[in-house]
Amino acid sequence: MNEAGCKTVHLKDYAAPTFLVNRTELHFELGDAFTLVRAKLEFRRNPAAESAKGSLVLEGQRLDLRELRLDGRLLGPEGYIADEESLTIHNVPDEFVLESVVHIRPQDNTALEGLYLSSGIFCTQCEAQGFRKITYFPDRPDVLSRFSTTIVADRERCPVLLSNGNPVVRKELGDGRHLVSWEDPFAKPSYLFALVAGRLECLEDRFVTSSGRSIVLKIFVEKHNLDKCHHAMHSLKKAMRWDEKVFGLEYDLDIFMIVAVDDFNMGAMENKGLNIFNSKYVLAKPDTATDADYQAIEEVIAHEYFHNWTGNRVTCRDWFQLSLKEGLTVFRDQEFSADQVSRSIKRIQDVRNLRTVQFAEDAGPLAHSVRPASYQEINNFYTATVYYKGAEVVRMIQNLLGPDLFRQGVRRYLQDHDGQAATVEDFLQAMEDVSDRSLKQFRLWYSQAGTPVLRVKGCHDPEGATYELQVEQYCPATPGQMEKKPFHIPLVVALLDPVGNELPLRLEDEKCGGEVLARVLEVTSERQVFRFGGVKERPVPSLPRGFSAPVRVEDDLGDKERGFLLQFDRDPFSRWEAGQQLAGRAILELVPQHPDPTGGTPLPDSLVAGFRKILQDEGMDKGLAAEILSLPSEQYLAELMKEIDVEGIYLARECVRRQLAGSLQKEFLAAWHKNRETGPYDAEPRSVARRSLKNLCLAYLSALDEAGFRQELLASYRDAGNMTDRLGALNLLVDCDIPERDEVLDDFFRRAKGDALVLDKWFAMQARSRLPFTLAKVRELISHPDFNYRNPNRVRSLLGVFSRGNPLRFHADDGSGYAFLTGQILLIDRDNPQLAARLAEVFGSWSRYDRQRREHMRNQLLSIKSRPELSRDLSEVVFRSLEGA
């Protein structure tokens, strides 16, 4: 136990389960007062367990046990021990059948784990440890069982009854109730169990696999949302076809179902054959969803579908292996999305997200390795490190082996471990088997936390016609890991000549061949030198191309060289990176001055010239142009500072934005007008790119603060023919202290017409506003009739956006934002510990702010820590934030 009273679970203590479950038969009777759950479990002793003897211990929480039978014999209270966490039965035989009857109350389940009610719909969320709130079971991922599920409910209230697998029996029971039985032919762990029952409508379609099998596809939603499912269905079919084409993986059941619910802690859940989704990632039409929403739906639909193989057919041995399924599947959904839109734009978006969220995690007290060595509450390890850094680790393997060998490795891994619970070592072994390469040193990416730093220096010898790249690597200390061994880092490099052409690359010690235009350098030591021959003129290095590893790079390039890369590099990512470096440096140099954004501050000529060329390049992808022209976010800039200066970052960034707008006003106006469109909405990449560039230009021009352009902003809002353009204008108007501001917010609210996801946007916009009264407005909005603490989307849209997306107002120097959030966290923790813990993570970086803010945030953490009866989720976050700083 730690100081918070939480038991710590260690990877080194893993032991195989004493008992396995051959078959699980579940029978649910859904009622108003309670739900009755009958479970029949066929156990056998595990020959692979360390001990041949041992009691049967099953997990179970908040269960009202009514009956327990062992091989048909009724057990009295003297035959077992039941407490708040588990059920123990001593002296059980090697094979036996255990039957139990429990009562549970889904209507009181505000934590949204196990079986609960969402807007009158029964649904489940069992990952990671929710199944133990449904019935007694060995609730761990390495116990796989064949499940059959029967659901009985009132037909009027619950006409739709769903579970995993294929439907096998339907019956009318004659008393207004009906019954449906489901059979899942594939063994699965309990965390993949799913049940949904309620009044739902269905959009149905079919998909014919590459082998000719016809799969029924169904998306279930509430009736008023049926017209918003077509994009999700189209995305599902694209994902199925892509997985067949790229990885040779075909769907294995006769039916694939998706259900959208409003109250969901996560984005979605990959339950075998019955994916349950947060409605945010299913529902879309042009007047309710933005381009970003459409893209997110496509990505999440694909992600959960891809889990059918990387997560379901091959699952995790234990929760320490979580990134084995999540990191690999995030990589797969990123590759899918890159093939649907623009590979370069998708890569830039993924890297931006990684740097903003995961790099911050690596730099704070909550830092942990991709495969952590221990945890107290597994819900707290569904993190950016596990998902997004985990995906980067998988991508590095592809960079080292090449795409063909990598895909062979994935296929080998799935073939060797189909129907099993696997480990990271199993995955890496498959890669080594197909490539005949050792990944021993590479394994450190799974065990060492932190973001490695590469210091790169170039040295040209014109007489010898050589060019050296001198590379040093180090990794800052993280909690519990003060010293780090060198990582195995793939560094993709190109060298550009004075006119931007890529030079053939041949390492000097290579006897023959090896001349390529970009190559992977393998950095494996603390210090290495890579010397290229045949380089007559001093080149400009372009690295790391494609962001080939999740590292920070410190190089010796100046503004002139970065400006050159911004204008001439043919690699889209490197071009974007050069712009980010130029703009970021210009902003950070201004931070100590706390400049007046309306004042005149000269910008580097290379930055202005580079942006001008992007705006004037008619042949450039509009979406890529929008990405390159976007300034680094305040959150990312904060990660580049030793001590975070909240106001300084905001003022400096606004100053640079305004100066760029002024210097390039003619070009921004031309691009804005050129990319305006009046036709019907479509979500095709070309149209999305045009809207992206148009709205970016609008954002720059709005910085000029001219009265005439405010009228253009208002007109853009009123004339918008889709949510993307309407929100693009309104997100700018909410920062304008003008009378029309409240008018357009009221208009947006009326247009929402009670649509939950559109109302989330209305709350979020106000929470994101940089105007001085924003905290007062957020306090007011928590009393709004449409604010609901029990809906995680609504809480995240207001409290999450305010605390994470509005650093200027949340980090007010008087600590008022911190005190407000603390009160909300404690209130939410009573009902939904997962949500409370996620909100509290924002305090994790408290030690990196100025003395006054440090003290305010630390006091709030101590205040939370002192409260009795904190959830384990929240306790762990608070204690680690205080201890690791």
Side-chain angles (χ1 to χ4, degrees):
M1 296 284 186
N2 75 344
E3 188 181 349
C6 300
K7 179 181 178 181
T8 300
V9 182
H10 296 274
L11 172 61
K12 63 182 176 63
D13 294 334
Y14 171 82
T18 305
F19 290 93
L20 302 175
V21 184
N22 294 332
R23 185 167 179 81
T24 299
E25 297 179 14
L26 301 173
H27 180 98
F28 291 83
E29 295 184 20
L30 307 177
D32 293 329
F34 62 87
T35 289
L36 181 147
V37 184
R38 299 181 187 273
K40 182 178 180 181
L41 312 177
E42 298 178 7
F43 283 96
R44 63 182 169 91
R45 199 174 293 276
N46 183 9
E50 293 181 4
S51 173
K53 297 182 179 180
S55 300
L56 175 70
V57 180
L58 306 179
E59 283 75 36
Q61 295 178 357
R62 300 181 184 178
L63 303 177
D64 179 6
L65 180 60
R66 294 306 179 99
E67 186 177 293
L68 193 63
R69 292 180 181 272
L70 180 65
D71 285 334
R73 177 173 57 89
L74 183 66
L75 297 181
E78 71 284 355
Y80 59 87
I81 300 171
D83 58 29
E84 294 182 355
E85 298 287 335
S86 63
L87 172 71
T88 303
I89 306 174
H90 298 296
N91 303 317
V92 295
D94 289 345
E95 294 187 6
F96 59 95
V97 174
L98 185 70
E99 297 173 86
S100 64
V101 179
V102 302
H103 288 181
I104 57 177
R105 294 180 57 81
Q107 62 270 37
D108 297 335
N109 184 355
T110 59
L112 311 185
E113 295 178 291
L115 179 64
Y116 66 93
L117 276 171
S118 170
S119 304
I121 300 167
F122 288 92
C123 64
T124 55
Q125 172 55 35
C126 294
E127 187 178 357
Q129 296 176 339
F131 192 77
R132 63 190 61 187
K133 295 183 178 181
I134 294 174
T135 192
Y136 290 105
F137 199 83
D139 190 16
R140 47 189 289 171
D142 56 354
V143 176
L144 283 71
S145 177
R146 289 272 300 273
F147 279 72
S148 62
T149 305
T150 296
I151 311 167
V152 177
D154 179 81
R155 171 173 277 284
E156 179 67 22
R157 180 178 177 186
C158 297
V160 173
L161 305 176
L162 308 174
S163 192
N164 309 84
N166 300 314
V168 292
V169 176
R170 298 181 186 274
K171 285 184 182 179
E172 296 296 330
L173 300 181
D175 57 357
R177 298 186 304 159
H178 66 140
L179 169 155
V180 180
S181 293
W182 295 79
E183 185 78 29
D184 190 344
F186 296 97
K188 64 174 178 285
S190 55
Y191 83 85
L192 290 173
F193 171 78
L195 179 153
V196 173
R199 188 176 296 280
L200 296 164
E201 298 291 328
C202 175
L203 176 66
E204 183 171 331
D205 206 334
R206 285 186 175 268
F207 177 83
V208 178
T209 69
S210 55
S211 67
R213 294 173 53 241
S214 180
I215 311 299
V216 176
L217 309 179
K218 294 187 175 184
I219 299 179
F220 292 90
V221 295
E222 294 180 78
K223 184 176 181 179
H224 62 276
N225 288 324
L226 195 59
D227 64 335
K228 302 174 189 172
C229 299
H230 296 283
H231 176 66
M233 181 65 80
H234 183 57
S235 300
L236 173 59
K237 294 169 75 173
K238 285 202 293 184
M240 297 176 79
R241 184 64 68 206
W242 184 89
D243 215 16
E244 291 182 345
K245 179 181 178 182
V246 176
F247 285 98
L249 299 175
E250 187 175 298
Y251 187 61
D252 49 9
L253 291 171
D254 298 330
I255 184 171
F256 184 86
M257 299 173 289
I258 288 172
V259 179
V261 296
D262 288 338
D263 305 314
F264 207 69
N265 279 331
M266 300 184 177
M269 180 60 211
E270 70 267 20
N271 319 293
K272 182 70 178 180
L274 177 58
N275 288 186
I276 301 177
F277 273 66
N278 186 321
S279 57
K280 176 179 181 180
Y281 296 108
V282 173
L283 307 178
K285 60 181 184 179
D287 58 347
T288 66
T290 64
D291 292 336
D293 293 330
Y294 273 83
Q295 181 177 337
I297 289 168
E298 187 170 78
E299 290 174 4
V300 177
I301 291 279
H303 180 94
E304 304 308 327
Y305 173 75
F306 295 155
H307 265 313
N308 185 63
W309 279 95
T310 51
N312 295 2
R313 285 285 288 265
V314 179
T315 192
C316 300
R317 186 196 71 177
D318 53 71
W319 291 120
F320 294 102
Q321 321 295 329
L322 181 59
S323 192
L324 178 64
K325 75 180 183 77
E326 295 301 347
L328 176 55
T329 306
V330 168
F331 168 81
R332 279 164 30 81
D333 82 54
Q334 289 176 348
E335 287 294 286
F336 163 77
S337 297
D339 284 343
Q340 309 313 307
V341 286
S342 159
R343 184 159 288 273
S344 57
I345 293 174
K346 176 59 179 165
R347 189 66 186 134
I348 288 167
Q349 292 171 345
D350 291 338
V351 172
R352 180 189 293 113
N353 178 61
L354 182 84
R355 285 176 168 175
T356 302
V357 182
Q358 196 281 319
F359 277 21
E361 197 166 89
D362 260 351
L366 301 180
H368 60 275
S369 57
V370 172
R371 183 170 65 179
S374 65
Y375 65 81
Q376 293 159 18
E377 174 51 64
I378 185 56
N379 288 330
N380 289 333
F381 275 102
Y382 284 76
T383 62
T385 297
V386 166
Y387 279 70
Y388 302 118
K389 187 174 182 179
E392 293 300 316
V393 172
V394 173
R395 187 176 297 277
M396 282 191 289
I397 297 173
Q398 179 177 258
N399 286 335
L400 288 168
L401 304 188
D404 291 340
L405 281 176
F406 172 78
R407 289 173 187 172
Q408 290 179 38
V410 171
R411 293 286 296 169
R412 171 72 67 88
Y413 162 68
L414 295 175
Q415 290 167 3
D416 290 351
H417 301 284
D418 191 7
Q420 299 176 12
T423 64
V424 165
E425 285 76 14
D426 294 327
F427 178 69
L428 294 174
Q429 184 62 56
M431 295 296 166
E432 290 178 328
D433 289 345
V434 300
S435 65
D436 198 27
R437 289 196 53 173
S438 171
L439 294 174
K440 182 179 178 180
Q441 183 181 0
F442 187 84
R443 283 166 165 77
L444 291 172
W445 281 103
Y446 284 98
S447 60
Q448 292 188 159
T451 303
V453 177
L454 292 183
R455 289 177 173 154
V456 182
K457 182 179 180 181
C459 183
H460 182 238
D461 177 9
E463 293 184 5
T466 63
Y467 183 76
E468 282 187 357
L469 279 177
Q470 301 167 5
V471 183
E472 296 181 6
Q473 67 159 298
Y474 77 95
C475 188
T478 53
Q481 292 184 342
M482 300 307 294
E483 300 291 334
K484 310 292 175 72
K485 296 178 181 178
F487 288 85
H488 185 176
I489 302 172
L491 181 66
V492 178
V493 174
L495 300 179
L496 307 186
D497 71 13
V499 293
N501 295 318
E502 296 166 337
L503 297 173
L505 297 184
R506 179 177 57 82
L507 289 172
E508 194 177 48
D509 57 357
E510 290 179 332
K511 295 180 180 179
C512 61
E515 291 195 354
V516 293
L517 298 181
R519 67 183 301 158
V520 180
L521 304 180
E522 298 191 28
V523 181
T524 56
S525 305
E526 289 184 1
R527 294 175 180 82
Q528 279 176 263
V529 175
F530 300 93
R531 184 177 293 109
F532 300 97
V535 184
K536 297 177 181 179
E537 297 182 88
R538 183 176 182 86
V540 178
S542 169
L543 58 89
R545 285 205 153 181
F547 197 69
S548 55
V551 299
R552 296 184 190 274
V553 174
E554 297 175 357
D555 57 40
D556 59 350
L557 300 183
D559 285 354
K560 181 179 179 180
E561 289 87 355
R562 294 198 194 284
F564 175 84
L565 292 171
L566 174 60
Q567 292 198 48
F568 299 110
D569 200 331
R570 296 176 185 176
D571 180 72
F573 174 83
S574 296
R575 202 171 179 186
W576 171 80
E577 174 72 335
Q580 293 290 290
Q581 293 285 344
L582 276 172
R585 185 179 299 181
I587 294 168
L588 291 174
E589 287 178 355
L590 289 173
V591 167
Q593 304 174 29
H594 282 221
D596 178 357
T598 63
T601 301
L603 296 177
D605 291 340
S606 52
L607 176 62
V608 177
F611 274 30
R612 177 174 282 114
K613 182 171 182 178
I614 300 296
L615 285 164
Q616 292 176 339
D617 188 347
E618 291 292 332
M620 183 174 224
D621 180 285
K622 307 299 182 186
L624 178 60
E627 294 291 350
I628 294 175
L629 294 167
S630 297
L631 295 177
S633 69
E634 292 171 67
Q635 292 89 336
Y636 175 65
L637 292 165
E639 291 309 310
L640 302 179
M641 300 188 69
K642 186 175 181 180
E643 182 176 285
I644 298 170
D645 182 344
V646 177
E647 291 96 343
I649 292 172
Y650 170 75
L651 292 171
R653 188 176 183 277
E654 285 299 293
C655 182
V656 169
R657 183 167 75 105
R658 184 180 175 86
Q659 293 305 310
L660 283 169
S663 300
L664 301 170
Q665 182 174 2
K666 177 182 175 182
E667 289 82 0
F668 278 122
L669 275 170
W672 179 55
H673 283 296
K674 197 169 293 182
N675 288 284
R676 296 172 80 177
E677 53 189 39
T678 57
Y681 176 88
D682 71 73
E684 293 304 310
R686 182 183 295 272
S687 298
V688 171
R690 289 174 63 88
R691 285 189 291 271
S692 178
L693 181 56
K694 177 192 67 176
N695 287 322
L696 181 87
C697 293
L698 189 68
Y700 270 107
L701 293 167
S702 70
L704 297 176
D705 200 31
E706 296 176 358
F709 204 78
R710 286 182 182 173
Q711 294 306 310
E712 291 284 4
L713 269 181
L714 289 166
S716 294
Y717 170 81
R718 291 166 180 153
D719 297 341
N722 57 75
M723 180 58 74
T724 301
D725 289 341
R726 179 162 288 112
L727 210 59
L730 187 50
N731 273 324
L732 298 170
L733 285 166
V734 294
D735 285 336
C736 299
D737 193 6
I738 56 177
E740 295 89 347
R741 178 184 186 274
D742 289 340
E743 293 176 17
V744 292
L745 281 169
D746 290 344
D747 177 75
F748 190 89
F749 182 82
R750 287 191 297 272
R751 289 174 183 267
K753 297 178 182 176
D755 185 300
L757 298 179
V758 179
L759 286 174
D760 286 341
K761 293 175 169 60
W762 182 77
F763 280 95
M765 281 184 292
Q766 296 174 85
R768 194 180 288 116
S769 171
R770 304 309 173 88
L771 294 178
F773 54 75
T774 297
L775 175 56
K777 186 63 179 179
V778 172
R779 289 182 185 276
E780 177 186 324
L781 287 171
I782 62 174
S783 299
H784 192 279
D786 287 299
F787 184 77
N788 180 3
Y789 280 108
R790 293 194 175 185
N791 177 253
N793 284 355
R794 191 58 44 86
V795 172
R796 287 187 285 256
S797 70
L798 185 63
L799 303 180
V801 168
F802 176 67
S803 58
R804 290 184 178 274
N806 194 346
L808 180 67
R809 297 308 170 195
F810 173 65
H811 292 286
D813 58 8
D814 63 357
S816 55
Y818 309 147
F820 166 72
L821 185 66
T822 294
Q824 298 301 302
I825 288 170
L826 291 170
L827 183 65
I828 292 166
D829 191 48
R830 302 172 193 169
D831 291 329
N832 192 332
Q834 281 190 50
L835 187 56
R838 292 290 185 272
L839 290 170
E841 289 173 356
V842 74
F843 288 132
S845 57
W846 64 273
S847 62
R848 298 192 53 223
Y849 288 82
D850 59 81
R851 184 189 61 79
Q852 187 173 358
R853 289 181 172 87
R854 282 200 304 270
E855 194 66 23
H856 284 313
M857 277 191 271
R858 184 173 181 274
N859 286 340
Q860 295 306 321
L861 286 168
L862 291 171
S863 174
I864 297 173
K865 177 184 173 183
S866 69
R867 300 300 177 96
E869 299 182 358
L870 288 184
S871 70
R872 290 186 300 190
D873 304 64
L874 182 56
S875 292
E876 182 181 22
V877 168
V878 169
F879 276 80
R880 289 179 62 216
S881 295
L882 287 167
E883 293 172 357

